[in-house]
Amino acid sequence: MSKDFSRTQRVADQIQRELADMIKTEVKDPRVGMITITGVEVTRDYAHAKIFYTSINSNKENNITIEEGLKHANGFLRSQLSSRMRLRVIPQLHFIYDESVERGLYLSRLIDEAIGKN
């Protein structure tokens, strides 16, 4: 069982590296611009992959625009993954905005304000 987990994790890491490279160099959609892939979770059967991303200039409208761009590029990214990786099944890609970075900045700001008041 642990061997299966490690292979799943290695596949997720490889997908993360490949997608980051493809988004940076091959995706020409301006909506996808400046995003960072923060993590990838792959199901045990490799049928689905959750791709977590964040953006530098994040707001509600911008996140919707980025999500539309990623959905538009989904087929292209999946086909490019199939040529770059040796997998029998290329997972369906599901892009999810990662709020952890934004939440971390907010909590850090709250802590700084609390320390400053004392």
Side-chain angles (χ1 to χ4, degrees):
M1 185 152 143
S2 106
K3 183 176 182 180
D4 182 48
F5 173 75
S6 65
R7 183 167 192 277
T8 303
Q9 188 61 45
R10 287 194 312 266
V11 167
D13 291 343
Q14 181 68 27
I15 289 173
Q16 182 174 354
R17 283 190 299 274
E18 296 295 341
L19 282 176
D21 181 53
M22 285 187 286
I23 288 171
K24 184 175 81 174
T25 60
E26 296 180 18
V27 175
K28 304 297 183 209
D29 193 339
R31 297 177 290 186
V32 179
M34 298 294 293
I35 69 166
T36 302
I37 305 294
T38 58
V40 175
E41 292 178 3
V42 179
T43 58
R44 292 173 65 105
D45 62 354
Y46 306 111
H48 299 276
K50 291 180 185 177
I51 315 299
F52 297 97
Y53 70 92
T54 188
S55 175
I56 293 173
N57 45 353
S58 63
N59 58 35
K60 204 73 148 171
E61 295 169 5
N62 193 26
N63 290 342
I64 292 171
T65 304
I66 291 171
E67 189 173 332
E68 289 172 356
L70 288 171
K71 282 182 183 177
H72 182 73
N74 196 345
F76 170 75
L77 293 172
R78 191 165 181 243
S79 68
Q80 291 298 309
L81 269 180
S82 69
S83 66
R84 290 182 176 213
M85 297 182 68
R86 293 183 176 212
L87 290 175
R88 190 171 60 196
V89 176
I90 299 298
Q92 293 288 327
L93 305 178
H94 306 282
F95 291 95
I96 301 168
Y97 180 71
D98 186 5
E99 297 177 351
S100 65
V101 174
E102 190 175 305
R103 193 174 318 126
L105 290 172
Y106 173 73
L107 291 174
S108 178
R109 189 175 62 233
L110 285 178
I111 291 170
D112 289 344
E113 287 176 7
I115 291 173
K117 289 182 181 179
N118 288 334

